[in-house]
Amino acid sequence: MSQAAVAHHEQEVSWNGGVSPMNVSYGKLMMWFFLLSDAFTFSGLLITYGLVRSANPAYDPASGPFTFSTEYWPIPEKVFEAVPFFHGVPLPLVFVGLMTFILIMSSVTMVLAVEAGHRMDRKAVEKWMLWTIVGGFAFLSCQAWEWTHFIVGTDVPTIQNTFGNKVEIFGANLTHNQYGPPAFADFFFFITGFHGFHVFSGVMLNFLVYFRTVQGLYDRRGSYEMIEKVGLYWHFVDLVWVFVFTFFYLV
Amino acid sequence: MAHHSEEPQITVLPPDKEKIKKLWRVALIMAIVTGIEFIFAFTLEAGHLKTSIFVALTIVKAGYIVGEFMHLRHEVKVLYYSILIPMVFVVWFLVAMIYEGLSILGAK
């Protein structure tokens, strides 16, 4: 069996030249370097958020209880405290905590699918890939709700004083934002939107490999390495969310 | 079916109990770390200490995802460092831009 496993590994990792730099297959290595470049893109977005945030005044607790104002950066947990079916009940970070849990769980089911793939166990791969797809859709649905709430806004508007005109602001778009400076909403849309788009393409890729597993393509190919490559991408999406969660919602 | 004979012989190996248990243990650790983050989110005053704790716990979680789930810790050293070392640029960029942002705020 061990000899068969070694032969199997050789077949998986060997490039066309017959050797395998870094002892991984070409596809897997390229996925790693793509993810490295993608990590730079997300770092760029999150670091720019840090730059603009530190260039804006912060809320001063000495000035009284926290209210939304376009004058200073909001406390994130005051912005993200809405939960579906609990209208008017402040539950800070509960919903985003649920989203984090969903994404981490779908990462676990993905890694179980990869493990099943190593054993050529088609039925188990199908089962875990389906759970991963369900997790991805659940996360996207949560994000759709959160965006809707963010855009529509709370019951009480924020009053903005523009050259003596008092303007009521409900919710947020790219130019007006009831929660804080417009840049806060812009970063929310760009960072969580770019991440959500990654989740969406991840779900599409997950579905593709699930479909091809059902078709028996990987059995015929003699390797489930494709599950591993797509798995790397899916874990990366989870990894980015861990950083977005900290730097956008917690800090 | 007629084309069934063309299907290759697949040997399905039994589940690796040890490995699966290890994966669930990693998941449990991540859940606990996230739970700790929530406790700090509601009990600590905003400030450098709180931010440092969050950054440290995030790096712990990132380490588990990249090291165990993405299997990087078990790849050859060259691959491991090819992915890890370029991240130095991110650290530099972060420090430089936060410094820059604080200067902008000071100049306002």
Side-chain angles (χ1 to χ4, degrees), chain A residues 31-54:
Chain A
M31 179 54 94
W32 268 112
F33 285 126
F34 162 68
L35 294 180
L36 181 63
S37 73
D38 220 16
F40 280 124
T41 311
F42 275 107
S43 303
L45 283 169
L46 280 170
I47 291 170
T48 314
Y49 172 83
L51 166 80
V52 174
R53 180 180 181 165
S54 56

mmCIF file of all heavy atoms in Angstrom, chain A residues 31-54:
data_model
loop_
_atom_site.group_PDB
_atom_site.id
_atom_site.type_symbol
_atom_site.label_atom_id
_atom_site.label_comp_id
_atom_site.label_asym_id
_atom_site.label_seq_id
_atom_site.Cartn_x
_atom_site.Cartn_y
_atom_site.Cartn_z
ATOM 1 N N MET A 31 -1.195 28.244 -7.218
ATOM 2 C CA MET A 31 -2.270 28.701 -6.339
ATOM 3 C C MET A 31 -1.679 29.431 -5.139
ATOM 4 O O MET A 31 -2.153 30.496 -4.747
ATOM 5 C CB MET A 31 -3.131 27.518 -5.896
ATOM 6 C CG MET A 31 -4.277 27.880 -4.959
ATOM 7 S SD MET A 31 -5.381 29.169 -5.591
ATOM 8 C CE MET A 31 -6.664 28.209 -6.349
ATOM 9 N N TRP A 32 -0.594 28.887 -4.596
ATOM 10 C CA TRP A 32 0.058 29.546 -3.460
ATOM 11 C C TRP A 32 0.521 30.949 -3.817
ATOM 12 O O TRP A 32 0.329 31.892 -3.060
ATOM 13 C CB TRP A 32 1.244 28.712 -2.955
ATOM 14 C CG TRP A 32 0.853 27.767 -1.855
ATOM 15 C CD1 TRP A 32 0.824 26.403 -1.914
ATOM 16 C CD2 TRP A 32 0.412 28.111 -0.535
ATOM 17 N NE1 TRP A 32 0.393 25.889 -0.726
ATOM 18 C CE2 TRP A 32 0.128 26.920 0.143
ATOM 19 C CE3 TRP A 32 0.219 29.328 0.123
ATOM 20 C CZ2 TRP A 32 -0.328 26.895 1.456
ATOM 21 C CZ3 TRP A 32 -0.236 29.300 1.428
ATOM 22 C CH2 TRP A 32 -0.508 28.093 2.079
ATOM 23 N N PHE A 33 1.146 31.081 -5.004
ATOM 24 C CA PHE A 33 1.668 32.405 -5.357
ATOM 25 C C PHE A 33 0.540 33.357 -5.733
ATOM 26 O O PHE A 33 0.636 34.557 -5.481
ATOM 27 C CB PHE A 33 2.738 32.300 -6.461
ATOM 28 C CG PHE A 33 4.032 31.771 -5.914
ATOM 29 C CD1 PHE A 33 4.653 30.673 -6.482
ATOM 30 C CD2 PHE A 33 4.611 32.368 -4.804
ATOM 31 C CE1 PHE A 33 5.840 30.185 -5.951
ATOM 32 C CE2 PHE A 33 5.790 31.876 -4.265
ATOM 33 C CZ PHE A 33 6.406 30.787 -4.840
ATOM 34 N N PHE A 34 -0.524 32.828 -6.300
ATOM 35 C CA PHE A 34 -1.691 33.690 -6.544
ATOM 36 C C PHE A 34 -2.238 34.212 -5.214
ATOM 37 O O PHE A 34 -2.538 35.397 -5.060
ATOM 38 C CB PHE A 34 -2.790 32.937 -7.304
ATOM 39 C CG PHE A 34 -4.120 33.624 -7.201
ATOM 40 C CD1 PHE A 34 -4.340 34.847 -7.811
ATOM 41 C CD2 PHE A 34 -5.145 33.067 -6.448
ATOM 42 C CE1 PHE A 34 -5.555 35.503 -7.678
ATOM 43 C CE2 PHE A 34 -6.361 33.713 -6.310
ATOM 44 C CZ PHE A 34 -6.561 34.934 -6.922
ATOM 45 N N LEU A 35 -2.347 33.316 -4.244
ATOM 46 C CA LEU A 35 -2.876 33.717 -2.943
ATOM 47 C C LEU A 35 -1.958 34.739 -2.263
ATOM 48 O O LEU A 35 -2.434 35.652 -1.588
ATOM 49 C CB LEU A 35 -3.079 32.503 -2.035
ATOM 50 C CG LEU A 35 -4.160 31.524 -2.490
ATOM 51 C CD1 LEU A 35 -4.279 30.371 -1.514
ATOM 52 C CD2 LEU A 35 -5.492 32.211 -2.654
ATOM 53 N N LEU A 36 -0.654 34.594 -2.482
ATOM 54 C CA LEU A 36 0.283 35.579 -1.927
ATOM 55 C C LEU A 36 -0.018 36.960 -2.513
ATOM 56 O O LEU A 36 -0.093 37.952 -1.790
ATOM 57 C CB LEU A 36 1.720 35.150 -2.237
ATOM 58 C CG LEU A 36 2.825 36.056 -1.706
ATOM 59 C CD1 LEU A 36 2.806 36.093 -0.181
ATOM 60 C CD2 LEU A 36 4.184 35.598 -2.199
ATOM 61 N N SER A 37 -0.234 37.008 -3.844
ATOM 62 C CA SER A 37 -0.522 38.302 -4.477
ATOM 63 C C SER A 37 -1.869 38.844 -4.000
ATOM 64 O O SER A 37 -2.037 40.040 -3.779
ATOM 65 C CB SER A 37 -0.497 38.164 -6.004
ATOM 66 O OG SER A 37 -1.641 37.468 -6.443
ATOM 67 N N ASP A 38 -2.830 37.946 -3.809
ATOM 68 C CA ASP A 38 -4.145 38.346 -3.327
ATOM 69 C C ASP A 38 -4.050 38.877 -1.899
ATOM 70 O O ASP A 38 -4.736 39.822 -1.520
ATOM 71 C CB ASP A 38 -5.103 37.149 -3.375
ATOM 72 C CG ASP A 38 -6.484 37.557 -3.852
ATOM 73 O OD1 ASP A 38 -6.617 38.659 -4.411
ATOM 74 O OD2 ASP A 38 -7.427 36.770 -3.661
ATOM 75 N N ALA A 39 -3.146 38.282 -1.112
ATOM 76 C CA ALA A 39 -2.941 38.756 0.260
ATOM 77 C C ALA A 39 -2.417 40.191 0.239
ATOM 78 O O ALA A 39 -2.797 41.011 1.076
ATOM 79 C CB ALA A 39 -1.957 37.840 0.991
ATOM 80 N N PHE A 40 -1.582 40.510 -0.749
ATOM 81 C CA PHE A 40 -1.086 41.889 -0.864
ATOM 82 C C PHE A 40 -2.236 42.844 -1.192
ATOM 83 O O PHE A 40 -2.292 43.959 -0.680
ATOM 84 C CB PHE A 40 0.007 41.983 -1.936
ATOM 85 C CG PHE A 40 1.357 41.534 -1.462
ATOM 86 C CD1 PHE A 40 2.058 40.546 -2.117
ATOM 87 C CD2 PHE A 40 1.923 42.113 -0.340
ATOM 88 C CE1 PHE A 40 3.301 40.132 -1.667
ATOM 89 C CE2 PHE A 40 3.160 41.710 0.124
ATOM 90 C CZ PHE A 40 3.854 40.710 -0.543
ATOM 91 N N THR A 41 -3.145 42.397 -2.059
ATOM 92 C CA THR A 41 -4.278 43.254 -2.417
ATOM 93 C C THR A 41 -5.118 43.571 -1.184
ATOM 94 O O THR A 41 -5.436 44.734 -0.916
ATOM 95 C CB THR A 41 -5.160 42.557 -3.475
ATOM 96 O OG1 THR A 41 -4.322 42.080 -4.521
ATOM 97 C CG2 THR A 41 -6.189 43.520 -4.038
ATOM 98 N N PHE A 42 -5.449 42.530 -0.418
ATOM 99 C CA PHE A 42 -6.254 42.757 0.780
ATOM 100 C C PHE A 42 -5.480 43.576 1.813
ATOM 101 O O PHE A 42 -6.066 44.420 2.503
ATOM 102 C CB PHE A 42 -6.709 41.422 1.376
ATOM 103 C CG PHE A 42 -7.966 40.893 0.757
ATOM 104 C CD1 PHE A 42 -7.925 39.808 -0.095
ATOM 105 C CD2 PHE A 42 -9.188 41.491 1.014
ATOM 106 C CE1 PHE A 42 -9.086 39.318 -0.674
ATOM 107 C CE2 PHE A 42 -10.348 41.011 0.445
ATOM 108 C CZ PHE A 42 -10.298 39.919 -0.404
ATOM 109 N N SER A 43 -4.177 43.322 1.938
ATOM 110 C CA SER A 43 -3.368 44.116 2.858
ATOM 111 C C SER A 43 -3.437 45.585 2.464
ATOM 112 O O SER A 43 -3.584 46.459 3.325
ATOM 113 C CB SER A 43 -1.914 43.665 2.834
ATOM 114 O OG SER A 43 -1.821 42.308 3.136
ATOM 115 N N GLY A 44 -3.344 45.849 1.152
ATOM 116 C CA GLY A 44 -3.427 47.229 0.675
ATOM 117 C C GLY A 44 -4.713 47.887 1.119
ATOM 118 O O GLY A 44 -4.716 49.005 1.642
ATOM 119 N N LEU A 45 -5.835 47.178 0.969
ATOM 120 C CA LEU A 45 -7.139 47.733 1.361
ATOM 121 C C LEU A 45 -7.201 47.982 2.869
ATOM 122 O O LEU A 45 -7.604 49.051 3.319
ATOM 123 C CB LEU A 45 -8.261 46.783 0.943
ATOM 124 C CG LEU A 45 -8.646 46.792 -0.545
ATOM 125 C CD1 LEU A 45 -9.567 45.624 -0.846
ATOM 126 C CD2 LEU A 45 -9.332 48.093 -0.910
ATOM 127 N N LEU A 46 -6.801 46.979 3.644
ATOM 128 C CA LEU A 46 -6.918 47.105 5.105
ATOM 129 C C LEU A 46 -5.951 48.151 5.662
ATOM 130 O O LEU A 46 -6.284 48.882 6.596
ATOM 131 C CB LEU A 46 -6.673 45.748 5.777
ATOM 132 C CG LEU A 46 -7.871 44.796 5.753
ATOM 133 C CD1 LEU A 46 -7.467 43.408 6.206
ATOM 134 C CD2 LEU A 46 -9.015 45.315 6.618
ATOM 135 N N ILE A 47 -4.762 48.245 5.078
ATOM 136 C CA ILE A 47 -3.792 49.226 5.573
ATOM 137 C C ILE A 47 -4.257 50.639 5.209
ATOM 138 O O ILE A 47 -4.103 51.569 5.999
ATOM 139 C CB ILE A 47 -2.382 48.912 5.040
ATOM 140 C CG1 ILE A 47 -1.873 47.619 5.688
ATOM 141 C CG2 ILE A 47 -1.418 50.044 5.344
ATOM 142 C CD1 ILE A 47 -0.610 47.063 5.091
ATOM 143 N N THR A 48 -4.873 50.796 4.040
ATOM 144 C CA THR A 48 -5.406 52.107 3.684
ATOM 145 C C THR A 48 -6.516 52.506 4.653
ATOM 146 O O THR A 48 -6.622 53.667 5.051
ATOM 147 C CB THR A 48 -5.947 52.098 2.242
ATOM 148 O OG1 THR A 48 -4.995 51.470 1.402
ATOM 149 C CG2 THR A 48 -6.189 53.507 1.752
ATOM 150 N N TYR A 49 -7.311 51.523 5.055
ATOM 151 C CA TYR A 49 -8.319 51.781 6.099
ATOM 152 C C TYR A 49 -7.635 52.295 7.362
ATOM 153 O O TYR A 49 -8.064 53.292 7.951
ATOM 154 C CB TYR A 49 -9.098 50.498 6.394
ATOM 155 C CG TYR A 49 -10.037 50.594 7.586
ATOM 156 C CD1 TYR A 49 -11.303 51.137 7.444
ATOM 157 C CD2 TYR A 49 -9.637 50.155 8.841
ATOM 158 C CE1 TYR A 49 -12.164 51.236 8.531
ATOM 159 C CE2 TYR A 49 -10.488 50.251 9.934
ATOM 160 C CZ TYR A 49 -11.749 50.788 9.773
ATOM 161 O OH TYR A 49 -12.585 50.893 10.857
ATOM 162 N N GLY A 50 -6.544 51.650 7.762
ATOM 163 C CA GLY A 50 -5.797 52.078 8.947
ATOM 164 C C GLY A 50 -5.265 53.496 8.803
ATOM 165 O O GLY A 50 -5.339 54.299 9.737
ATOM 166 N N LEU A 51 -4.755 53.817 7.606
ATOM 167 C CA LEU A 51 -4.232 55.164 7.336
ATOM 168 C C LEU A 51 -5.324 56.211 7.508
ATOM 169 O O LEU A 51 -5.163 57.181 8.244
ATOM 170 C CB LEU A 51 -3.669 55.218 5.913
ATOM 171 C CG LEU A 51 -3.379 56.623 5.351
ATOM 172 C CD1 LEU A 51 -2.058 57.153 5.879
ATOM 173 C CD2 LEU A 51 -3.366 56.633 3.848
ATOM 174 N N VAL A 52 -6.468 55.992 6.830
ATOM 175 C CA VAL A 52 -7.538 56.999 6.851
ATOM 176 C C VAL A 52 -8.153 57.082 8.241
ATOM 177 O O VAL A 52 -8.492 58.163 8.720
ATOM 178 C CB VAL A 52 -8.599 56.679 5.772
ATOM 179 C CG1 VAL A 52 -9.783 57.633 5.868
ATOM 180 C CG2 VAL A 52 -7.978 56.751 4.399
ATOM 181 N N ARG A 53 -8.268 55.935 8.899
ATOM 182 C CA ARG A 53 -8.835 55.964 10.243
ATOM 183 C C ARG A 53 -7.945 56.740 11.210
ATOM 184 O O ARG A 53 -8.433 57.552 11.996
ATOM 185 C CB ARG A 53 -9.028 54.538 10.762
ATOM 186 C CG ARG A 53 -9.619 54.566 12.145
ATOM 187 C CD ARG A 53 -9.851 53.198 12.723
ATOM 188 N NE ARG A 53 -10.449 53.356 14.038
ATOM 189 C CZ ARG A 53 -11.047 52.387 14.701
ATOM 190 N NH1 ARG A 53 -11.123 51.202 14.168
ATOM 191 N NH2 ARG A 53 -11.569 52.617 15.874
ATOM 192 N N SER A 54 -6.632 56.491 11.135
ATOM 193 C CA SER A 54 -5.750 57.191 12.073
ATOM 194 C C SER A 54 -5.609 58.657 11.692
ATOM 195 O O SER A 54 -5.179 59.462 12.516
ATOM 196 C CB SER A 54 -4.382 56.504 12.133
ATOM 197 O OG SER A 54 -3.807 56.423 10.854
#
